[in-house]
Amino acid sequence: MSAAVSLPRHLPVITNSELRTFRRCAREHRLRYRLRRRPLRDADTLRFGSLFHVGLEAWWRADAAPEARIAAALAAIEGLRDVDPYDRVDAEELILGYTARWGDGAPVVVGVEAQFVAPLVNPQTGAASKTYQLGGKLDVLFAYGFMEHKTTSEDIGLGGDYWQRVSALDSQVSMYTVGARALGVEGPCTYDVIRKVALRPKRATPVESRKYKTNGELYANKREHDETPDEYRERVREHIAENPERYYARGEIVRLDHDEAEHAADVWQTARAMREAELAERYPRNPDACMRFGRACEYFGVCSGQASIDDDTKFRTATSSHEELEEIRT
Amino acid sequence: MSAATTINPRLATVKRGKLDTPIRLLAYGPEGIGKSTLASGAPSPLFIGAEDGTAQLDVARIQPGSWEDIFGLIAELASMEHDYKTLVLDTADWAEPICWDHVCAQGGKKGIEDFGYGKGYVAALDEWRRLLSWLDRLRAKRAMNVVVLAHSKVATFKNPEGEDFDRYTLKLHDKAAGLLKEWSDAVLFCQYETFTHDKNGRTKGIDSGARIMHTVRRAAFDAKNRYGLPEQLPLSWDEFAAGVTAHAPKPPAALKAEIAALLPKLGDAAKKAEAALARAGDDPIKLSQLADWARGKVSISSTKETT
């Protein structure tokens, strides 16, 4: 399957990420998608997700033999620059564990990073929007169903909060179900979740805190040197091998008729609100969304008057609203 | 009477015509009320589940050995040639422990409670969702009706506005019961027709012997339908099907004619309506929505004219 899909007509595309951003904060949406100003550096946690995603993409594109998959994934990760060496270890070891867990019997792949566009449909009339259309990229497309990869720090055990949230409400699964259908594929979303490595590299004990035994050796919980990436790798490998179910989980996520109807109504209404904001040129800030996961929003400085969105040392202008979607005019 | 002239009394009850969309029906009630008999009246039914309820019925039945077996069977029904027109899950409370066994095997637990904090039931709910999506697929692909049967139990309702009272509910875990009820187009509570009689300050229950289906919710039970059925129906598939057919949307041709007749009265909106009519094709739902909209427009403009 080709990666890009030609458009029936050139309507602006809205993606699930864009809708999610607008739901979170109309002002952030304007800065990120209308002005296309993006922070120069992604947050650390996002960087690991992107890094691992690159490896997984190569893994799924490779021949089905586990050795070929591992080689492709590790080469893809190797090719990335400016990666924290410990993040690189985490990603590489997670790829090896992933192959051990899922390498055998992986379904036949129809497409990787399969791009879709689909009409945004008014759920009341069934008519397609003349203002926007939906778009996105499916991580892996099978003959029956598709797959989305996720990395998380949450507990991914069966029946846990993570799965409850995804099960019926996750908007990405709902939109991508529509997207897969637009590519001619029915079927469920296999949610392929990889838990981030919770271990951290051991750091050298500050000199003033070091305690020595009478024979001159350091006490067991004290260190003279930082743990090297290779030493850290040994610990990570062992931990993943001992706890595969902690690190890897898959679930078949389905959308029932009423889920799809609810999602269609949600998307339509959000798109209308986006359009109204554009026409009125009003993008209200949502102060309740400034702090998430213990971090400030990347545009916090701009909204609070401490930085300028025009500052090229902090922000760049993206080439399009959705750089990840090639060949779609956005 | 010779064999050639024998008349099967069931033939007298045959009704012509088809139900427009395959039905998603959940019917529940006490043991022995006749749930399986109700489902046996559906077009060409195949029963999956325990054999107890259908032992006296001349119906096609199969008893899957595991949760995944049920999916395998649905996959075969969706992909292979057959004459079945209705799939009957008999009963959901028979399937529930099988579902739990499957979840426990996946999670490496001995019992559903061993997951802790209700997580086992949440995982089981995902399995039910998966099953319903497969059933939806079967409906879409093969236009098969899906009938889910379940036993009822009596549970106490904690009434925030007064005294607590007992009501009938599905004999399933609350989460699975809620999902099944939401998914179904009709939830029918099957019961003997019951009256209460006060004598000497004591209330006695009397039943007429008639078996009925309740189609709308009451304090004592859950029920619903999207077909505009009467509140009560005799416990019979034919009665149910007749009720559904009576409230089915008009045929597309009739709807198109009605919309066309309304066009001249729509004024400025006529062009928009014409375009929508062209887009709707023969889709009865879209045509019904458009007809509703056109009727509303005409009604509003005629009200304005009179005032």
Side-chain angles (χ1 to χ4, degrees), chain A residues 152-226:
Chain A
T152 181
S153 303
E154 287 183 64
D155 173 18
I156 56 175
L158 204 58
D161 290 348
Y162 186 88
W163 293 106
Q164 274 204 72
R165 198 176 56 245
V166 173
S167 159
L169 286 175
D170 185 90
S171 59
Q172 188 183 33
V173 174
S174 304
M175 188 191 276
Y176 285 16
T177 301
V178 175
R181 196 172 291 140
L183 294 173
V185 170
E186 287 288 341
C189 169
T190 302
Y191 221 66
D192 182 29
V193 190
I194 299 97
R195 191 171 173 180
K196 290 175 192 165
V197 176
L199 304 178
R200 290 285 169 264
K202 292 175 179 171
R203 300 295 181 195
T205 311
V207 177
E208 63 276 14
S209 306
R210 290 178 193 172
K211 284 184 180 172
Y212 293 89
K213 297 176 189 172
T214 49
N215 62 4
E217 286 179 11
L218 271 173
Y219 276 94
N221 56 348
K222 309 284 181 187
R223 299 182 61 88
E224 263 177 26
H225 307 287
D226 287 348

Side-chain angles (χ1 to χ4, degrees), chain A residues 123-128 130 144 155 158-161 163-164 167-168 188 252-259, chain B residues 24 103 106-107 115 118-120 122-123 126 129-130 132-134 136-137 139 175 179 182-183 279 286 289:
Chain A
Q124 292 289 316
T125 64
K130 291 176 181 170
Y144 177 66
D155 173 18
L158 204 58
D161 290 348
W163 293 106
Q164 274 204 72
S167 159
E252 194 176 298
I253 310 294
V254 296
R255 285 294 173 260
L256 304 176
D257 290 353
H258 65 261
D259 298 330
Chain B
R24 285 183 294 208
V103 170
Q106 276 193 321
F115 285 89
K119 287 181 179 177
V122 172
D126 283 344
R129 288 179 57 83
R130 193 162 72 92
L132 297 183
S133 81
W134 280 56
D136 272 343
R137 191 169 146 235
R139 285 176 70 237
K175 287 180 189 293
L179 179 70
E182 184 62 25
W183 172 80
R279 270 201 313 270
K286 285 180 183 167
Q289 288 172 335

